[in-house]
Amino acid sequence: MKETSMPAPNPTQLFHITAIDNLPVIGASGHLLSKSILNSAKVNSTSIAHETIQIRRARKVVPINPGGTLHDYVPFYFAPRSPMLFTINNGNVEGCNLNQDDIVHLSTTAQTIVEAGCSTVFTDYHAVMAIAKFYDDLAKLDVIDWELFFESPRIAGYCQFWQNRQTVRHLMRMETRQAEFLVRDSVPLAAITQIGVRSELMANRVRAALANTAWDPEILVVPGWYY
């Protein structure tokens, strides 16, 4: 367990990114579903992920209960404005022609998800990494190096930078900031309380996408969650 000087924020904010095009299916299902369930149910959804990373996630075993592989979990980051969003916006995801104005942040807290009765684990680094350790107790969230998430300069409350640098403190900043909170199988939409977007135009697209569903989360316009 690493020594850190900054305790975990409480509540602990979580972020899951997805395409606006996926919101009607998500809203109709009533749940945010894991990759395994989406695949087995043959749900037609817009992918925003690297296929090579998805292959690794399908094979990566979660070594603690409730077990399974990473594809059996719905993944969340502990901060918005992720490296993956940057990659998508720069057109570097094969087969994906979307940009950040097509991507929303589904936001909640770790505490809200646990209170909803979901089975969860979390990691201290990007979950596909061999060095990533898995935990199942929110009391151990302090193992994450939170200073890297909140050091200056900040945008919308989070550190502007996530890239690695040749300094002792920042050699693994990107891998740390991609630590994951993982929810087994599915997340009830009642536990997803907010959708973050970059502009009012995006907010209107979200409202239209959810118009025929029962899901009515708060829609936040937060440009600082984007590039």
Side-chain angles (χ1 to χ4, degrees), residues 5 59 102 131 178 199 201 209:
S5 59
R59 295 172 178 170
D102 301 306
I131 64 169
Q178 292 182 96
S199 66
L201 179 61

Side-chain angles (χ1 to χ4, degrees), residues 124-152:
D124 53 355
Y125 294 104
H126 193 306
V128 300
M129 297 184 67
I131 64 169
K133 294 182 180 178
F134 288 75
Y135 304 87
D136 60 3
D137 181 356
L138 295 189
K140 295 181 179 178
L141 279 168
D142 290 351
V143 301
I144 295 172
D145 190 348
W146 293 104
E147 289 182 353
L148 293 179
F149 289 78
F150 297 107
E151 64 185 353
S152 295

Side-chain angles (χ1 to χ4, degrees), residues 48-187:
I48 58 173
H50 280 300
E51 185 60 30
T52 54
I53 298 296
Q54 290 305 304
I55 292 172
R56 292 175 65 187
R57 295 185 73 86
R59 295 172 178 170
K60 174 80 176 196
V61 173
V62 174
I64 62 175
N65 286 332
T69 71
L70 292 180
H71 267 187
D72 295 318
Y73 293 78
V74 179
F76 290 84
Y77 287 133
F78 291 101
R81 203 170 176 271
S82 66
M84 193 64 216
L85 181 64
F86 180 85
T87 300
I88 294 166
N89 195 50
N90 281 277
N92 293 326
V93 177
E94 62 280 2
C96 178
N97 61 0
L98 306 181
N99 62 48
Q100 64 178 350
D101 287 327
D102 301 306
I103 307 298
V104 296
H105 290 81
L106 308 185
S107 182
T108 183
T109 70
Q111 290 75 19
T112 297
I113 288 182
V114 169
E115 288 167 5
C118 300
S119 296
T120 67
V121 300
F122 66 91
T123 64
D124 53 355
Y125 294 104
H126 193 306
V128 300
M129 297 184 67
I131 64 169
K133 294 182 180 178
F134 288 75
Y135 304 87
D136 60 3
D137 181 356
L138 295 189
K140 295 181 179 178
L141 279 168
D142 290 351
V143 301
I144 295 172
D145 190 348
W146 293 104
E147 289 182 353
L148 293 179
F149 289 78
F150 297 107
E151 64 185 353
S152 295
R154 299 182 187 180
I155 294 179
Y158 293 87
C159 182
Q160 177 180 354
F161 302 116
W162 47 261
Q163 299 92 333
N164 292 339
R165 294 176 57 197
Q166 294 303 309
T167 63
V168 173
R169 278 295 293 132
H170 300 108
L171 281 175
M172 296 190 66
R173 176 164 59 181
M174 182 167 65
E175 294 84 356
T176 300
R177 292 200 57 182
Q178 292 182 96
E180 299 182 42
F181 188 87
L182 301 160
V183 186
R184 179 70 196 232
D185 295 331
S186 67
V187 182

